[in-house]
Amino acid sequence: MERDSGQIQVTSAPDAIVAKWRMDVDTKIIDDGAYSYSWETKIYLLYNPWGKHDQVYIKSEEWRDETVLNDVGLIWRGTYNRVKPVIWKYDQFEKDILDCSLYLVNIVGKVKRSNRADPAKTTRALAAAVNAADDLGAVMGNWSEDHSGGTPPTKWIGSKEILQKYYKKKKPVKYGQCWVFSGVLTTVCRALGIPARTITNYSSAHDTQNSLTVDYFMDEHGTVMEELNSDSIWNFHVWNEVWMQRPDLGTHYAGWQAIDATPQELSDEMYRCGPASVAAVKLGEKSTLTSSILAQHAWARVLIFWKYAGPTQPLKLLRKDIYGIGKIICTKAPGKFECEDITYTYKHPEKTTEERTTMLKALRQSESLFSRYYLNEDFNDIHFNFKLIDDIKIGQPFNVILEMKNRSKLKEHKVSVILRVEVVTYTGKIGDNVKKDILVRVIKPETTEEVKLAVTYEDYGKRLVDQCAFSISCLATVEDTKFEYYAQDDFRIRKPDIKIMLKETPVEEKEVTAEISCQLMDWQKAEFRFTPPRTGRHTIAAKFVSKQMDDVDGYLVIMVEPKKEPNGQQ
């Protein structure tokens, strides 16, 4: 009996439900019987960033390749003056990653079927499903120093192990902090076909009063009063951007949308954040944003220091810093292991008319009294310059320096200065005092004086916390005028890097020897072997962990050549 065959092309609609589908084929022979067939292999329908009618279509080929297809990237940590790129393997094409992503959308995120074609509603649900603050999400947060029963956040090098472990047990994986939440969320979005990238904001504000100011209170000794400080500035904070059209908001708000899976504040009774149009953030459009916490990170523009003298005394405004927040916003450049500064997409260049206008527009929308103080100016009798600390490697000493210039032509001034160094977590929580000194200088007319606090490794070595960050501060009082100046800055001591070097050209399915080295007190070296499974670009990542030091890492990007066949052909 002859068998005829034919081909049928089925094209899914741009707004088809993103899910795992079953395909049934029903045939009917004219004037004869019928035949039904169910294909055992399931079909996955994803968002399509290549489809011009899809809501996540992205025209830029280089950004499409980077934010959908690239399975490895860099996440920036550290401080704005000592950035630290860390390798992160997204591995969105590995086993169980897509199924786990759909599980997070359907079961944990509880996205209705009719909404699973909407990337805005899907990514909003994923921002909650990736953390475990109020559901059985993928990652449990932990910002303490006790990581018993789990993996310290600094030890992870990628999303695969986290998501595979989570999908197998359906229980939150311990532990994560902001860059871990962001790395996992990038993986999930890319697996579903949504262009996603990881964003780092240095000197990132957490404005709990929605005043668009970050307010710090200290006593007469310059000690930060943690019991009064509800606001904070994180050395860095990592969130995500996803690319999509926004028919719910209008064409002006299409493009990159900010989402954040780090559980910080409730939004619609869940710990989630976004999607917030980056264009709306730049324009200062508060009413357009979906999440207040993203507005805090992006909009809080003024850092204000107050002196607290007691419950019956008025607060004294010490200093305003309009450039101390959101200093650098960056992501990995497309196709390169380099940093791309995208600060301009969130705000106008500092000191421009557009930037000041947008800031004042946002401040005047605030109902908080704290935001109103910014509109008052002050006068400084003496010019103070708090000098930044240069590149310091762990084990080396450093100096904290305050330069004071008397601009008066006739009058000398006596200035009392308190210099302090304290350890600080990346979320801005002040820890132990490392060193403090009180110095007094008489500054002659039109002269400059300098005070210095020298800090040795013996001073700070045993007090290091988190990611080797310090808060340095000074409180200076001009005694005859009672004018007070306060300044604060963060910096990070640099840990050694791991160097990786191959001893031969990597070839597919052929064992390769590599040398790994790290300079602790002196150079430590070792060898390891691995077999590349396939050709093309790969990334080797390494971590060093010990009781004395952690968060030491390195990576190497390699190109694996095809294996040669017995006849010499590749």
Side-chain angles (χ1 to χ4, degrees):
M1 183 176 67
E2 293 186 3
R3 293 179 178 270
D4 292 329
S5 63
Q7 292 184 345
I8 299 175
Q9 178 174 304
V10 179
T11 302
S12 59
D15 58 351
I17 294 172
V18 173
K20 182 162 59 173
W21 290 70
R22 184 188 71 204
M23 185 175 74
D24 294 333
V25 179
D26 294 325
T27 63
K28 181 174 176 59
I29 302 174
I30 299 175
D31 299 327
D32 203 342
Y35 177 75
S36 296
Y37 169 75
S38 294
W39 197 30
E40 293 183 0
T41 304
K42 299 296 188 292
I43 296 175
Y44 293 84
L45 280 185
L46 308 179
Y47 293 98
N48 183 6
W50 285 266
K52 292 185 178 181
H53 301 292
D54 197 291
Q55 205 169 319
V56 301
Y57 170 69
I58 181 170
K59 185 176 181 181
S60 170
E61 183 177 352
E62 65 172 1
W63 275 117
R64 188 169 59 228
D65 289 346
E66 178 65 39
T67 60
V68 180
L69 299 180
N70 199 352
D71 61 358
V72 66
L74 293 175
I75 299 178
W76 271 264
R77 293 176 14 219
T79 59
Y80 77 95
N81 50 12
R82 177 51 52 193
V83 301
K84 176 183 173 66
V86 178
I87 197 73
W88 192 268
K89 293 195 167 187
Y90 297 116
D91 288 332
Q92 67 268 33
F93 304 115
E94 296 297 320
K95 181 183 177 182
D96 291 335
I97 301 301
L98 178 55
D99 283 309
C100 182
S101 301
L102 290 171
Y103 177 83
L104 288 169
V105 172
N106 304 342
I107 307 302
V108 182
K110 296 181 174 62
V111 180
K112 297 178 180 179
R113 290 185 181 181
S114 58
N115 291 334
R116 292 179 199 168
D118 186 337
K121 293 178 179 177
T122 297
T123 54
R124 181 162 174 76
L126 286 173
V130 163
N131 71 67
D134 47 20
D135 51 30
L136 292 176
V139 183
M140 181 178 293
N142 185 343
W143 282 266
S144 74
E145 296 180 38
D146 180 11
H147 300 119
S148 56
T151 301
T154 53
K155 198 173 179 180
W156 298 113
I157 61 171
S159 306
K160 181 175 74 171
E161 183 181 352
I162 295 172
L163 290 173
Q164 288 179 341
K165 185 176 181 180
Y166 172 73
Y167 189 60
K168 181 179 180 180
K169 297 186 176 181
K170 304 299 191 296
K171 293 181 180 180
V173 177
K174 303 174 181 179
Y175 293 105
Q177 292 179 5
C178 68
W179 69 92
V180 179
F181 291 114
S182 178
V184 171
L185 185 52
T186 296
T187 297
V188 171
C189 289
R190 291 185 184 183
L192 295 172
I194 301 172
R197 59 188 189 182
T198 305
I199 308 297
T200 298
N201 178 29
Y202 285 101
S203 299
S204 188
H206 190 182
D207 169 25
T208 60
Q209 299 174 25
N210 290 318
S211 61
L212 302 185
T213 66
V214 173
D215 302 277
Y216 274 106
F217 302 88
M218 58 276 313
D219 62 19
E220 66 272 18
H221 304 296
T223 304
V224 173
M225 304 181 71
E226 291 286 356
E227 67 273 20
L228 296 182
N229 291 337
S230 58
D231 293 346
S232 61
I233 295 181
W234 294 20
N235 289 345
F236 68 92
H237 181 53
V238 185
W239 63 71
N240 296 80
E241 286 180 1
V242 286
W243 181 277
M244 67 185 71
Q245 300 297 315
R246 292 301 300 269
D248 56 327
L249 300 179
T251 56
H252 294 300
Y253 302 108
W256 292 115
Q257 315 289 316
I259 57 175
D260 192 347
T262 301
Q264 298 175 75
E265 289 187 8
L266 291 169
S267 177
D268 293 337
E269 299 183 352
M270 295 190 74
Y271 283 96
R272 56 186 172 186
C273 202
S277 166
V278 174
V281 172
K282 186 172 183 177
L283 293 171
E285 299 288 350
K286 288 186 71 175
S287 60
T288 308
L289 294 184
T290 318
S291 172
S292 63
I293 188 69
L294 276 172
Q296 293 169 18
H297 286 298
W299 270 346
R301 303 294 179 89
V302 188
L303 176 59
I304 301 181
F305 300 102
W306 305 88
K307 182 179 177 182
Y308 179 80
T312 63
Q313 300 298 315
L315 290 171
K316 183 174 182 179
L317 178 62
L318 293 176
R319 181 167 174 256
K320 304 184 296 289
D321 183 357
I322 60 176
Y323 305 115
I325 298 175
K327 293 186 176 181
I328 306 172
I329 303 175
C330 62
T331 189
K332 179 185 175 297
K336 299 178 287 186
F337 279 80
E338 297 176 5
C339 179
E340 179 150 325
D341 189 338
I342 60 168
T343 311
Y344 71 95
T345 66
Y346 280 83
K347 56 184 182 179
H348 298 284
E350 299 286 4
K351 300 183 182 181
T352 62
T353 302
E354 292 85 357
E355 191 268 342
R356 294 297 95 185
T357 301
T358 302
M359 184 190 69
L360 290 172
K361 174 183 176 182
L363 283 167
R364 284 169 178 145
Q365 291 179 42
S366 173
E367 297 179 357
S368 171
L369 290 176
F370 285 112
S371 62
R372 311 289 168 78
Y373 280 98
Y374 168 73
L375 303 176
N376 299 321
E377 293 299 326
D378 54 26
F379 174 76
N380 297 348
D381 293 331
I382 289 182
H383 176 71
F384 294 94
N385 180 24
F386 199 35
K387 291 189 175 180
L388 299 180
I389 294 173
D390 205 352
D391 182 22
I392 303 295
K393 187 183 293 186
I394 191 168
Q396 294 178 334
F398 62 87
N399 295 318
V400 179
I401 300 172
L402 177 66
E403 185 181 80
M404 301 171 289
K405 181 178 181 180
N406 187 352
R407 296 182 292 194
S408 172
K409 295 182 179 181
L410 302 173
K411 189 175 182 179
E412 67 180 29
H413 290 284
K414 185 178 181 181
V415 182
S416 174
V417 180
I418 302 174
L419 293 175
R420 307 175 62 92
V421 177
E422 288 141 325
V423 294
V424 63
T425 67
Y426 92 93
T427 59
K429 185 177 181 180
I430 302 294
D432 292 342
N433 178 264
V434 173
K435 199 167 186 178
K436 170 188 170 184
D437 202 0
I438 301 175
L439 307 106
V440 179
R441 294 288 187 273
V442 176
I443 309 174
K444 301 293 184 181
E446 296 186 309
T447 62
T448 300
E449 289 283 344
E450 190 176 87
V451 292
K452 179 171 68 175
L453 178 64
V455 183
T456 66
Y457 179 72
E458 286 71 25
D459 293 325
Y460 70 78
K462 293 183 179 180
R463 294 182 173 88
L464 290 174
V465 298
D466 202 32
Q467 298 173 47
C468 289
F470 296 93
S471 171
I472 57 175
S473 63
C474 71
L475 177 61
T477 304
V478 182
E479 295 195 356
D480 56 341
T481 66
K482 297 304 177 184
F483 171 78
E484 291 178 297
Y485 168 85
Y486 182 85
Q488 182 272 339
D489 197 12
D490 294 327
F491 85 102
R492 179 181 66 87
I493 286 180
R494 182 164 58 87
K495 292 183 179 180
D497 297 321
I498 293 175
K499 307 293 183 183
I500 304 171
M501 183 178 69
L502 299 187
K503 292 200 168 183
E504 59 255 0
T505 301
V507 177
E508 175 189 17
E509 297 181 358
K510 181 181 178 182
E511 188 176 76
V512 184
T513 301
E515 181 182 87
I516 188 168
S517 60
C518 182
Q519 186 178 16
L520 301 172
M521 298 306 292
D522 52 15
W523 282 99
Q524 305 291 323
K525 295 184 179 181
E527 287 188 356
F528 67 93
R529 294 177 177 84
F530 68 98
T531 303
R534 56 185 182 273
T535 61
R537 186 181 68 177
H538 295 262
T539 304
I540 304 171
K543 280 273 187 181
F544 173 86
V545 180
S546 70
K547 290 183 178 179
Q548 293 75 25
M549 188 182 300
D550 63 358
D551 202 20
V552 176
D553 50 48
Y555 69 93
L556 178 68
V557 180
I558 63 173
M559 289 298 297
V560 178
E561 296 183 357
K563 63 181 178 181
K564 292 184 179 181
E565 300 297 336
N567 59 8
Q569 295 181 347
Q570 290 186 342

